[in-house]
Amino acid sequence: MKRKLRTNILVQSTSYLFLLLLLFLALFPAVWMFITSIKPPEEVFTLPPKLTVDNPTLVNYGRVIFDSNIPRSFFNSLVVTVLTTFFTLLFAMLAGYGFSRFVFRGSNTISTGLLFGQMMPGVVLIMPLYMMFGKLHLIDTYGALILANMAITIPLGVIMLRTFFDTVPRELEEAAKIDGCSNLGALFRIVLPISKPGIVAVSVYTFLHTWEEFLFALILSNSSSVKTLPIAVNEFSSEFVIDWGGMMSASVVISVPVLLIFILCHKSFVKGLSDGSIKG
């Protein structure tokens, strides 16, 4: 009995130590980023590097907010991200509901095509997208960034929401239709409220992907009026010099909306992912 108890204690202790190690590895880059953002230039390059700050300063944040393109890029990222999330949800809800409730010729082929679309890396899509947007005169516009990101986010959104819609009893919709609801009315009044965790999961996924997307923003935008935050942060690095203080301060600014979204929605997001994986 004592031997079994000691074994359990050893296993639990090892598990906790492993979790603490994972937590340290996950949090250390964020802590180092914040500490570097409040260091004066002379402390950034001290050897050996220090985790403490002797003379903390907000000068780096002042330069980022008032002397760089970060505010405009923040606005650009917000516009592109919000519109991409909205249109992704709209099309994913309608398409997912159609796949879930209606059997039509070629539906299985289209579903498989969505999986292939999700598996395609952005670097494969960027060339045909650039050529197409060039002919449509969409290069260096919000439209190009929104459509390019939707090409990545809609397939997974449709797949996730279809999984949730499949679990909603059809009897509820039939009862609503008896009371005079149309198919769209049943979708918005019955199906979507029940599928709220899935909607939150798709929204958070789309928001995070678009907010942090780099490749499309780099290739499809040329001017500061359209460039998003990842491109603006990259501009703190030149061929010979890297402004580490400015780059880390800008990175903190970028991380704030992501952190807020995750704090507000993490329960529904995790529930949506877990329910979708179990129900799927």
Side-chain angles (χ1 to χ4, degrees), residues 114-247:
L114 288 174
L115 290 174
F116 280 113
Q118 182 61 35
M119 293 166 61
M120 285 289 182
V123 70
V124 175
L125 300 175
I126 188 61
M127 183 57 69
L129 286 176
Y130 186 87
M131 295 174 64
M132 180 175 65
F133 291 152
K135 292 180 179 180
L136 296 174
H137 304 288
L138 290 177
I139 299 298
D140 201 31
T141 64
Y142 290 143
L145 298 179
I146 293 170
L147 291 173
N149 283 298
M150 287 171 59
I152 301 295
T153 57
I154 285 181
L156 182 60
V158 173
I159 294 169
M160 291 178 64
L161 289 182
R162 178 187 180 180
T163 301
F164 275 89
F165 294 160
D166 284 341
T167 63
V168 178
R170 300 197 179 196
E171 291 78 8
L172 297 177
E173 295 175 67
E174 293 172 357
K177 291 176 182 178
I178 292 175
D179 292 335
C181 271
S182 62
N183 286 327
L184 285 178
L187 169 63
F188 285 100
R189 295 181 182 181
I190 305 298
V191 178
L192 293 184
I194 298 176
S195 304
K196 182 181 176 181
I199 295 173
V200 173
V202 173
S203 300
V204 173
Y205 158 74
T206 304
F207 184 94
L208 295 181
H209 167 82
T210 308
W211 187 263
E212 300 171 353
E213 200 283 322
F214 181 82
L215 179 63
F216 293 153
L218 176 66
I219 303 299
L220 300 176
S221 62
N222 300 321
S223 63
S224 59
S225 61
V226 179
K227 288 182 179 180
T228 55
L229 281 171
I231 309 303
V233 171
N234 188 57
E235 292 177 350
F236 284 94
S237 174
S238 62
E239 184 177 359
F240 300 104
V241 179
I242 299 178
D243 183 1
W244 289 108
M247 182 179 290

Side-chain angles (χ1 to χ4, degrees), residues 59-71 236 245-251 253:
V59 172
N60 294 323
Y61 288 95
R63 289 192 296 111
V64 165
I65 296 174
F66 300 109
D67 299 328
S68 70
N69 292 325
I70 291 296
F236 284 94
M247 182 179 290
M248 294 300 103
S249 301
S251 300
V253 172

